Amino acid sequence: MPAHALKRSTLLTLCACVLVAQSMVAAVNLLIPQLGSSSLHPSRTEVLWTVDAYVIVFAGLLVPAGALGDRHGRKGALLAGLALFAAGAATSALASAPALLIAGRGVSGAGAALITPATMSILVHLAGPERRAQAMASWTLAIGVGGLAGNLGGGLAGQFLSWRALFWVMVPLAAVLAVAVSLTTPRTARSTTGSPDPLGTALLTAGLVAVLFGIIEGPGHGWTSPRILSAFGAGLLLVAGFAVHALRSRAPLFDPRVFRSGGLRATTLGLATGFFGLFALFYVNSQYLQEVKGFAPAVTGVAIVPLIAGMALVPKFAARWSARPRPVVGAGLALIGLGLLAASTADAGTPYPLWACWLLVISAGTGLAMPALTLGVVVSLPPHQAGLGSGLGTAAREIGAALGVAVAGTALAGHTGFATGMGPALRTVGLTVLVATAVVVAGHRGAGRPAPGAPAPGTPAPPVKEPAA
């Protein structure tokens, strides 16, 4: 398939797939009260795992899923991901016990891990250099809008429907998307280097899951509790074990020396930083609007819509500046940090239009920085590793999101009530974003250059086609 063969129908289908996968990260958060009082009678821990199982499995499998999709077929990985996503949603909707609900969420998370890197790597292969920045802007917009759609869908389900309805809706939606993928998306050349690396996949997945478990559970159990310290220790040992194995293996899942690229390090840190701030805001926003302002769940879901404006409009302009990513990234991340600091001044008397203005500032920063950072990950690796690049970038997003919620939650827990803790929590997150922004900008000099020893970004993979469907 020639590089310029990206059709509008293909772009819309792939963006719709990643939007739906991302929406389920946030949607269940607004259903926590309904889940807690449901006929399943889950404990507080089981409710927490209902929320977290999707995120932990999703983020833990992203890098292996992306690398395996590069090797064994991206369109096949995408279709398999949609099938798993639907199966997990159906299991959750039919659940008669909390364990089944949690298991269904985990299965859907595994599907999302296949969907997300496959969509981006297909776009990279189909879009020519002149269209790649705009394609990445559209894909990034779908990620952001997915979070907003999750808030809106979860709020509407919490207000007017049951929690089971949210999961049931996902089943036919995934089926429709699978049909659309089959009709609109061509198969792309796949990487023929190496062979499956089951040991490397197991080590890296287990390591990422352990680290994410520590991040997510840390606020509840205490950061210095034996459980959390053990999780972080096990995660670091497993990731180190993967690195040792990969350096010695003839056919590793991926070569960790790709991180010699200053551009790859800076862009993955930048993605984590942006989503750190954005998901801390998501976590605080729903509670602020419901507990402090007295908004109903459905109104709360609608009230975050101003975040769509910047994400929808700014990337169209940011794509024109793709040749100068450093100032674009710096300005975008700085806007996120400054917007969070402004939002930290809110209280019960703050008018909603003023709160919406601060959301617009954060939205503009997200729309400015994220497409440039996403493209930076892509061009730091050769095209036949696009799935790996997407997996690394999306894993950075999800880890950053988990950290943002964890840090905001920990800061809130140190105060007697949400109203008194929200300001310090958002200030902590905003200042952290600004400090990280300085590090990202300083390290962004190498953005756009491949890792030492890697093929040049324009070097295509061997043109071996996948078997026909």
Side-chain angles (χ1 to χ4, degrees):
M1 210 58 197
H4 61 272
L6 178 62
K7 297 179 180 178
R8 185 175 182 82
S9 59
T10 305
L11 176 64
L12 291 174
T13 297
L14 296 175
C15 287
C17 289
V18 76
L19 187 155
V20 169
Q22 191 67 35
S23 71
M24 291 304 286
V25 174
V28 177
N29 286 317
L30 279 80
L31 295 176
I32 289 176
Q34 194 180 104
L35 282 168
S37 60
S38 70
S39 60
L40 299 183
H41 304 295
S43 66
R44 287 182 61 87
T45 300
E46 288 168 334
V47 171
L48 180 65
W49 272 103
T50 299
V51 176
D52 293 344
Y54 185 88
V55 178
I56 289 176
V57 175
F58 180 20
L61 288 176
L62 274 166
V63 177
L68 293 173
D70 284 339
R71 287 180 180 169
H72 302 294
R74 302 175 184 93
K75 183 175 180 179
L78 176 53
L79 291 171
L82 288 167
L84 277 175
F85 185 86
T91 301
S92 298
L94 292 168
S96 57
L100 285 175
L101 176 59
I102 294 167
R105 290 279 288 164
V107 171
S108 287
L114 286 166
I115 291 168
T116 304
T119 54
M120 183 170 127
S121 56
I122 291 171
L123 284 178
V124 169
H125 277 74
L126 296 182
E130 72 285 352
R131 296 187 62 193
R132 195 164 289 159
Q134 192 62 54
M136 290 301 99
S138 299
W139 188 88
T140 304
L141 172 62
I143 290 275
V145 174
L148 301 177
N151 277 276
L152 180 58
L156 291 172
Q159 184 79 24
F160 302 112
L161 303 169
S162 73
W163 60 268
R164 294 182 190 273
L166 179 68
F167 295 114
W168 276 126
V169 168
M170 295 296 120
V171 179
L173 184 56
V176 169
L177 289 173
V179 172
V181 168
S182 299
L183 295 175
T184 66
T185 305
R187 292 182 181 270
T188 60
R190 58 183 174 181
S191 172
T192 57
T193 58
S195 57
D197 180 17
L199 178 57
T201 300
L203 287 170
L204 183 60
T205 301
L208 290 174
V209 166
V211 170
L212 282 163
F213 174 87
I215 292 171
I216 291 171
E217 297 284 319
H221 293 280
W223 294 105
T224 58
S225 68
R227 176 181 295 192
I228 300 306
L229 292 177
S230 297
F232 283 131
L236 293 175
L237 285 173
L238 288 164
V239 172
F242 164 78
V244 171
H245 163 77
L247 291 172
R248 293 178 177 177
S249 174
R250 291 184 178 180
L253 182 70
F254 75 93
D255 189 340
R257 285 172 290 193
V258 296
F259 282 102
R260 288 179 180 175
S261 166
L264 185 61
R265 293 196 303 271
T267 50
T268 51
L269 176 60
L271 289 168
T273 298
F275 272 67
F276 171 83
L278 193 61
F279 271 75
L281 174 69
F282 284 160
Y283 178 77
V284 169
N285 178 77
S286 61
Q287 296 180 75
Y288 169 68
L289 293 176
Q290 290 184 81
E291 296 184 21
V292 178
K293 300 295 289 182
F295 287 14
V299 177
T300 298
V302 174
I304 203 173
V305 166
L307 274 171
I308 293 177
M311 291 183 190
L313 299 176
V314 175
K316 296 180 181 180
F317 299 99
R320 303 174 186 174
W321 306 323
S322 59
R324 302 185 63 191
R326 197 175 174 207
V328 170
V329 166
L333 293 178
L335 282 174
I336 294 173
L338 293 172
L340 288 165
L341 291 179
S344 72
T345 64
D347 57 24
T350 301
Y352 171 74
L354 181 58
W355 177 259
C357 288
W358 295 330
L359 296 186
L360 284 170
V361 171
I362 296 169
S363 172
T366 303
L368 193 61
M370 292 302 123
L373 289 166
T374 301
L375 186 60
V377 173
V378 171
V379 301
S380 294
L381 293 170
H384 67 271
Q385 290 184 313
L388 168 62
S390 176
L392 290 171
T394 310
R397 286 184 179 91
E398 297 307 319
I399 291 171
L403 272 172
V405 173
V407 169
T410 300
L412 284 166
H415 294 79
T416 54
F418 177 84
T420 59
M422 186 186 80
L426 288 178
R427 277 195 296 275
T428 299
V429 173
L431 290 171
T432 303
V433 168
L434 291 177
V435 171
T437 298
V439 177
V440 170
V441 171
H444 211 275
R445 289 187 178 90
R449 294 195 293 269
T459 304
V464 177
K465 294 184 179 180
E466 302 175 23

